[in-house]
Amino acid sequence: MTMQIERFESKEVLYTRALEIIKQVKAQGATTFGLATGGTMEPLYEKLRQSDIDFSDAISFNLDEYVGLDVQHDQSYNYYMHKQLFDCKPFKMSYLPNGLAENAEAEANRYEQLLQQHELDFQLLGIGVNGHIAFNEPGTSFASETHLVDLQPSTLEANARFFDSIEDVPKQAYTMGIQSILRAKVILLIATGEKKRAVLEQVIAGEYTENNPATALVKHNNVIILTDLQEGEN
Ligand code: F6R
């Protein structure tokens, strides 16, 4: 089991390191990349856009997608990914859950099947203020696979900043499960800002509890954590 923790004084250096890790993984032959959305990832996607990396021989899978948003909706994760990365650095194939699917269970199964057919070489992760990874909220089974979730009030609040009002935030999403995420060979978690400190420190301390979904990572054998939070400060 290895969990490598790297703390940075500067976000610029942190994101440069994240870019370096992705380039390294790719140079070592990775072809299937699990991707994340959210504010934390924007500086990384900017660096990827500006880099010489070429994903045209690779496949991507996103962690999650809101239910009910069309791919053209500017807050759908499909739209986000196109704007942040795919339009500039296209993959051979990019998969996201379909937020408009009519049958939620069938859609979750379809996505999980695709994931199982394409082993993830790499998975990028952010972390929610409540410890969620993808949209696996506290209490989610560590054995979970792709499923439909009801988003918790703290997640709706945290994501309201991207919408006109909190009422506009979709109440449900499709998400890879914890088990789907843990199957990835290398996991890179990026956690920045004081609001993430409490949940991140539990992971670093080696706690293992479904109350903090990110602590599932302590049992994975290749996790790298990049953070701008310094030890012992608050
Ligand atoms: C995004 C995702 C979420 C975010 C998390 C942190 O695809 O799965 O788990 O990584 O909510 O979001 P930000 O980076 O906006 O704080």
Side-chain angles (χ1 to χ4, degrees):
M1 245 152 352
T2 60
M3 182 173 275
Q4 184 179 321
I5 296 129
E6 302 182 25
R7 297 183 190 262
F8 296 85
E9 299 280 350
S10 136
K11 280 201 192 169
E12 174 57 27
V13 182
L14 184 158
Y15 286 106
T16 302
R17 172 72 179 131
L19 173 66
E20 179 188 277
I21 291 168
I22 294 175
K23 282 187 157 182
Q24 224 167 47
V25 166
K26 186 146 197 319
Q28 286 163 356
T31 56
T32 312
F33 290 79
L35 301 175
T37 62
T40 310
M41 299 305 155
E42 289 182 15
L44 173 58
Y45 290 139
E46 187 181 345
K47 288 216 173 284
L48 282 166
R49 290 195 305 271
Q50 289 164 358
S51 78
D52 59 1
I53 201 159
D54 176 13
F55 286 119
S56 63
D57 57 351
I59 292 177
S60 71
F61 278 90
N62 264 81
L63 287 170
D64 39 22
E65 178 60 289
Y66 286 121
V67 166
L69 300 189
D70 184 79
V71 296
Q72 298 304 331
H73 190 290
D74 65 3
Q75 291 309 326
S76 76
Y77 287 167
N78 200 310
Y79 184 95
Y80 171 107
M81 286 311 302
H82 277 274
K83 200 172 93 199
Q84 293 290 329
L85 190 63
F86 300 158
D87 289 352
C88 175
K89 299 277 181 189
F91 284 72
K92 183 167 70 181
M93 187 70 204
S94 285
Y95 296 101
L96 281 102
N98 172 10
L100 294 183
E102 279 179 17
N103 180 330
E105 203 184 322
E107 176 57 14
N109 286 339
R110 180 191 71 89
Y111 202 68
E112 184 61 34
Q113 288 308 312
L114 281 168
L115 278 167
Q116 295 194 11
Q117 286 157 17
H118 300 88
E119 193 171 72
L120 294 175
D121 295 312
F122 173 86
Q123 179 65 59
L124 186 59
L125 285 184
I127 182 171
V129 290
N130 60 6
H132 72 216
I133 49 174
F135 275 139
N136 295 287
E137 300 284 31
T140 306
S141 163
F142 282 174
S144 56
E145 296 189 320
T146 305
H147 60 288
L148 181 74
V149 287
D150 293 329
L151 300 175
Q152 291 198 348
S154 68
T155 300
L156 297 176
E157 253 163 59
N159 290 0
R161 69 190 196 278
F162 298 116
F163 291 81
D164 289 340
S165 81
I166 191 162
E167 285 75 41
D168 294 334
V169 185
K171 310 280 182 293
Q172 291 185 309
Y174 290 104
T175 183
M176 279 191 205
I178 308 258
Q179 209 39 242
S180 337
I181 293 169
L182 291 180
R183 285 196 302 261
K185 289 188 200 142
V186 179
I187 296 179
L188 172 61
L189 172 72
I190 304 179
T192 63
E194 279 305 322
K195 286 182 184 163
K196 312 285 176 72
R197 179 182 290 280
V199 282
L200 181 69
E201 291 304 339
Q202 285 186 330
V203 177
I204 293 175
E207 286 184 39
Y208 187 69
T209 165
E210 287 179 353
N211 294 329
N212 178 350
T215 65
L217 299 175
V218 307
K219 302 272 190 201
H220 191 275
N221 64 11
N222 200 347
V223 178
I224 305 164
I225 298 178
L226 305 185
T227 181
D228 64 346
L229 293 163
Q230 303 308 309
E231 218 164 337
E233 285 176 12
N234 43 56

